[in-house]
Amino acid sequence: MAAAHAPSWYAATAHAAPVRPAFDGAAETEICVIGGGFTGVAAALALAERGRSVLLLEAHRIGWGASGRNGGQVLPGWSGEGEFAKQLGERGVRFLDRTRYAGNDIIERNIQRYGINCDYVRGAMTVANNERQYRALIKEHNDASARREADHLTLVDRDDLRRHVDTRCYVGGLIDARAGHCHPLNLVLGEAEAAERQGVRIFEASPVTDIVEGEPHIVRLSAGEIRAKAVILAGNAYHQLAQKRLGGYMLPAQTFMMATAPLGDERARSLIPDNLAIADANWVLDYFRRTRDHRLLFGGRCTYSNRIAADIAAELQPRMVRVFPQLADARIEFAWTGTIGIPLNRVPLIGRLASTFFFAQGYSGHGVNCSHIAAEILADAFDLRDADASLFEEISHFRIPAAGVIGNPMLAMGMTWFRLKDALGV
């Protein structure tokens, strides 16, 4: 039986979705997608739109992992951009510029084309905790202006900031009118329904036990097997497949979120009048936004040692009250956690294990946007338009031997250093 969705506000407000059957027996397909999060569902939809035969397997429910639990912020760009540009030079910079808003565009296209109701709203702001961070935002705005790409960006100084977020915590911010936020679980459920309308066969409660590469590949489950010309592995932080070649490059981190009880329309609007999604510029950041039913969603306090907080609300609520002292009396109604995958250099892992065996994972918290771009990259690679996939395959990643034993302690020590940098403002 499939595991239930995390006890989140998203699950409590999700649209009704069918319980898909578990796979049982034998089947043949052109492409077998493993993983029912954004990467897998968006790739299945993109391929089906191109006339491909697709079968998708999800171990639990569609959107069960990070795709249905995240902050819902649809922010531009990639994680690890500095490393990507450093290794690939001008080719990497051109790719980053070309794809910066590609995920947003794909999501908005899917919403419009398939009538997906997921509370999508444009507008997000990065806020600076100190002058160093604000100078970095000024530089980002100036660089975009020099490229004549700043029409959608608004630099906000300390004096003007409280018109956009009612707090004294920050010294400035940068508003991006092309970024956005949404109900991520309803987005992935809507895209899954759209994929089925395009002919994709979706099975839930269907964990894959093994993949035997060949012509065709054989995807094995406890209750049967599937023969496929191509396989896309899109399980991210939760799967344990192909570990001999993919293990050790990506480490899990626990993220935490909570939602207040309804605050009422007027009180909620007073916190963030423009309904922006907000994230601070720290390495270990806080992020928050309003919901359609007038709550505040607040996330942060990421841990890198696989420790799950015994009381998530108790850890997050002081951080929320630091930003919004006026919410000291707000009751917390939902609190949940989830796992994200983080490559040590923060660059997502996208590529192939064989000519028709593809994978994508490790978005380091940027998954809503990046997963949709990755899905298009994989669909292009299947159609032999693989220039973008080849760029990611050129990236050198550090692999930790015995990652399960020493990897998370190493990552935890590294993130302690980043927390110290946040505290020192450097």
Side-chain angles (χ1 to χ4, degrees), residues 126-144:
T126 303
V127 289
N129 293 281
N130 52 55
E131 293 297 334
R132 178 190 60 82
Q133 291 179 355
Y134 186 49
R135 288 194 296 273
L137 295 180
I138 293 172
K139 183 178 185 304
E140 181 179 342
H141 181 267
N142 290 344
D143 289 347

Side-chain angles (χ1 to χ4, degrees), residues 18 20 35 50 104 195 197 224 226 295 305 307 346 405 417:
R20 279 99 176 174
R50 302 179 190 198
N104 298 70
R197 297 207 308 260
I226 296 156
R295 305 170 187 266
S305 59
R307 182 185 71 85
R346 297 293 181 114
V405 177
W417 166 243

Side-chain angles (χ1 to χ4, degrees), residues 290-364:
R290 286 167 29 197
T291 67
R292 68 169 184 267
D293 57 353
H294 314 306
R295 305 170 187 266
L296 186 76
L297 289 184
F298 193 95
R301 192 64 184 90
C302 198
T303 67
Y304 300 84
S305 59
N306 263 344
R307 182 185 71 85
I308 297 177
D311 188 338
I312 295 168
E315 296 219 15
L316 283 183
Q317 194 164 20
R319 302 173 77 91
M320 179 187 75
V321 172
R322 180 186 67 85
V323 178
F324 295 117
Q326 61 270 47
L327 293 184
D329 64 340
R331 181 170 59 87
I332 306 304
E333 191 166 322
F334 297 93
W336 65 97
T337 186
T339 306
I340 60 174
I342 301 182
L344 291 186
N345 65 4
R346 297 293 181 114
V347 179
L349 295 148
I350 301 173
R352 68 189 80 206
L353 299 175
S355 61
T356 55
F357 186 177
F358 306 93
F359 65 90
Q361 60 186 35
Y363 305 117
S364 302

Side-chain angles (χ1 to χ4, degrees), residues 247-251 342 344 397-411:
Y249 289 109
M250 186 177 71
L251 295 167
I342 301 182
L344 291 186
H397 288 270
F398 181 68
R399 186 178 194 182
I400 301 175
V405 177
I406 67 172
N408 282 101
M410 181 183 294
L411 185 57

Side-chain angles (χ1 to χ4, degrees), residues 140 153 163 205 213 239 253 258 281 298 326 341 401:
E140 181 179 342
L153 299 177
R163 289 200 308 112
E213 296 176 27
H239 79 82
M258 66 181 189
F298 193 95
Q326 61 270 47

Side-chain angles (χ1 to χ4, degrees), residues 170-300:
Y170 307 116
V171 303
L174 183 64
I175 296 174
D176 188 336
R178 286 191 63 186
H181 56 96
C182 71
H183 189 303
L185 181 54
N186 278 338
L187 174 59
V188 71
L189 290 175
E191 289 178 327
E193 180 184 351
E196 288 177 315
R197 297 207 308 260
Q198 294 293 321
V200 175
R201 292 175 286 169
I202 297 179
F203 297 89
E204 296 180 318
S206 301
V208 173
T209 59
D210 192 21
I211 305 168
V212 180
E213 296 176 27
E215 297 181 2
H217 305 292
I218 300 173
V219 178
R220 289 178 173 161
L221 303 88
S222 59
E225 67 178 35
I226 296 156
R227 294 176 177 268
K229 292 181 181 178
V231 170
I232 292 176
L233 183 54
N236 205 22
Y238 287 95
H239 79 82
Q240 293 298 314
L241 298 168
Q243 288 300 290
K244 287 185 178 179
R245 284 179 287 175
L246 292 181
Y249 289 109
M250 186 177 71
L251 295 167
Q254 297 295 324
T255 63
F256 306 110
M257 284 200 69
M258 66 181 189
T260 67
L263 302 171
D265 185 4
E266 184 176 352
R267 190 179 187 191
R269 287 179 184 275
S270 71
L271 300 174
I272 312 172
D274 302 334
N275 198 17
L276 302 171
I278 297 176
D280 70 35
N282 277 343
W283 287 96
V284 185
L285 73 163
D286 291 332
Y287 48 93
F288 47 92
R289 62 188 184 89
R290 286 167 29 197
T291 67
R292 68 169 184 267
D293 57 353
H294 314 306
R295 305 170 187 266
L296 186 76
L297 289 184
F298 193 95

